[in-house]
Amino acid sequence: MQYSQKVLDHFMHPHNVGKLDDANVTATEGSPACGDQVTFYLKINEESHVIEEIAFQSYGCASNIATASIVTDLVKGKTIEEAKTVSWKDATNELDGLPPVKMHCSVLAVDTLRLAIKKYELEHGLREPEPFTKETIIEELRSVIYPKAGEDIITLKMVKYVRLEEGVVTQP
Amino acid sequence: MERIYLDNCMTSKPDPEVISAMMPYYTEKYFFPGNFVSTGSSIQSDLDDFKQTIADSMGAKPGEIHFTSGGTSANNIGIKGFLMANSSKGTHIICSVIDYPDILTNAAFFEDSGFEVTYLNADFDGFVDMEELKAAIRPDTIMVMTTFANHVMGTIQPVKEMRKIMDESGHEIALFVDAGHAYGRIAIDVKEYGIDLMSVSAHKIHGPQGVGALYVRNGIQLSSSKHGINRIDALETGCISIPAIAGFAKAVQLQFSDLQAHIAKIISLRERLYKGIKENIPHILLNGPEGDKRIAHNLNVSFDYIEGEAIMMMLDVHSITVATGSACASQGLKPNYILMATGRNFVQSHGSIKFTLSRYNTEEEIDYVIEKLSQIVEELRSRSPLYKQK
């Protein structure tokens, strides 16, 4: 099991790494407990909805950094509708593949991008807020690597509107 | 710069003299031991000499040494053999939550087979709790197992104190010690420590892979856990590589010829590395104790705000090999169980790097590692959202 040269290139020399001071939307997925966290900063043109600038920060492994880097390449200059069609498989293929145990990094990077776009759409009236249900919680925790990390994500207040009281998930 | 290898806890580079010592057993003396015929008897004589070398390195008698096909095999033969032979005396055993996987998986196996296991806790520096040991011993306790030097944190367990507590119980309890990471890095006299069974491995001390030894104190009863034909050893049945045994004996001769000088050199390199890290990199945590309670070749440091697999991979790009306790580098995607059990949080465990040195490392290499590591940590922290938040 080893990384492709492309993964190593993006890991050693990531594209669009850092913060964007004039971003109009940011999103973070993952958690330090999982050992994987990505933050995307996007500057989206409010008329054309084109992603003009994108940057990322990563707390994670080589493939976490490489997948975030490739996702920024894949969506920069695209409209949010086009960006939404970029899948974790596209990101993986663009890196000439990932070791099976590292596929979740691709999923995390694409999920973070989609969360950012969703936030942008909500803030700009392009989408109706969804009702908050048990399914929402499950969806939020979908990419969690193992259950203990799920508990930590809630304890760290990384999922909105959900609290953990004596081991029971509650909504305050 | 040639590759700088700092993962000697995993395996170590065979000494060229070891390879030379092995070669005749491939090319000319490719026989099995046997009686009467000159080919077989000459090999038997060589094996007796090799056994004497291993025995001398730990204060044992040659008859107490059994060659095995590695450290894990020695652990299995020792633990399974003892528990199967002695279950009529009791079915309670003790180990700790931070022991080597060979001990923990064997403990779990016997737990499933009707034994009761007490898992002792360890403190922040990785020392097994002696008060817990005292409290855990029962009339039906037949064995205590421990890892002499912890393979992750480098902590040297207070084995003599363990023995004393066990002796105070008033009944016979066997002390099983996995010394895979301690052997050749600290002087171990099995009689002085009161050890009943002890496993060691050749490839951790510049010997060949695939060979180890089990010390079994005279008087300790073991059942066979590996059934089959007795070629070289009655416990490790079938073939054991004789070239590997020859290499093992040579590695022991080299390592123990001036053990204290070897240890002093490695400690000096380790301290140089730790000092360099402390002086150049902020926000670090030493995992395991400082000073002489730490095994000579081990340094384990957590780097806050960044993840260990990324550090390890960047060091690898610069031709430096280390290990990490990060979940991202493990097949199970779980953080290291020892770091978690000794009070580290997820980030400290994920951000840990284990450097294990050898006599082949040089001061120049260590200085290069410090230089590259400092750059890498700074670079990765500049990319980390956790660091920016601080």
Side-chain angles (χ1 to χ4, degrees), chain B residues 63-184:
Chain B
E64 294 174 317
I65 300 298
H66 296 264
F67 288 118
T68 66
S69 56
T72 294
S73 191
N75 283 331
N76 273 280
I77 292 168
I79 297 169
K80 290 194 168 82
F82 182 84
L83 295 182
M84 289 191 299
N86 293 279
S87 60
S88 63
K89 297 175 191 162
T91 54
H92 177 241
I93 55 176
I94 298 170
C95 63
S96 84
V97 292
I98 61 160
D99 273 316
Y100 196 64
D102 290 1
I103 289 179
L104 292 175
T105 49
N106 267 288
F109 171 77
F110 279 95
E111 211 168 8
D112 287 345
S113 313
F115 276 72
E116 281 185 74
V117 183
T118 300
Y119 295 91
L120 307 174
N121 289 302
D123 68 14
F124 193 74
D125 281 336
F127 292 105
V128 174
D129 192 318
M130 290 299 108
E131 288 304 312
E132 276 191 29
L133 172 63
K134 218 176 274 180
I137 292 174
R138 315 188 317 207
D140 62 341
T141 306
I142 58 170
M143 183 158 77
V144 173
M145 300 184 282
T146 191
T147 312
F148 202 116
N150 187 269
H151 59 292
V152 171
M153 297 173 72
T155 313
I156 299 171
Q157 297 303 336
V159 176
K160 283 182 189 168
E161 198 181 335
M162 279 184 176
R163 179 78 261 176
K164 190 166 170 276
I165 290 168
M166 290 158 66
D167 288 344
E168 284 166 2
S169 72
H171 75 281
E172 225 172 275
I173 303 171
L175 178 58
F176 180 93
V177 175
D178 180 334
H181 299 276
Y183 183 58

Side-chain angles (χ1 to χ4, degrees), chain A residues 1 3 11 33 58 102 152, chain B residues 309 328 331 346 350 383 388:
Chain A
M1 185 160 54
Y3 288 127
F11 165 55
S58 155
K102 296 289 184 178
D152 288 319
Chain B
E309 195 251 31
C328 293
Q331 282 298 307
F346 283 100
H350 294 315
R383 300 179 188 177
K388 295 283 173 167

Side-chain angles (χ1 to χ4, degrees), chain A residues 68-88:
Chain A
S69 170
I70 200 78
V71 164
T72 64
D73 279 355
L74 287 172
V75 303
K76 196 171 178 181
K78 290 195 172 161
T79 65
I80 55 172
E81 287 306 318
E82 289 168 335
K84 278 195 276 186
T85 67
V86 171
S87 71
W88 66 270

Side-chain angles (χ1 to χ4, degrees), chain A residues 1 3 8 11-12 14 17 32-37 39 57-62 65 101-102 104 145-146 148 152, chain B residues 305-307 309-310 313-314 317-318 327-331 333 335 346-347 350 380 382-386 388-389:
Chain A
M1 185 160 54
Y3 288 127
L8 290 176
F11 165 55
M12 291 303 287
V17 70
C34 300
D36 271 329
Q37 185 177 316
T39 302
Q57 287 187 302
S58 155
Y59 163 78
C61 61
I65 292 168
V101 75
K102 296 289 184 178
H104 68 274
I145 312 303
Y146 63 101
K148 182 77 181 82
D152 288 319
Chain B
Y305 315 122
I306 52 177
E307 190 278 329
E309 195 251 31
M313 287 305 300
M314 263 198 196
V317 169
H318 291 288
C328 293
S330 72
Q331 282 298 307
L333 294 177
F346 283 100
V347 174
H350 294 315
L380 289 173
S382 78
R383 300 179 188 177
S384 170
L386 305 185
K388 295 283 173 167
Q389 283 165 12

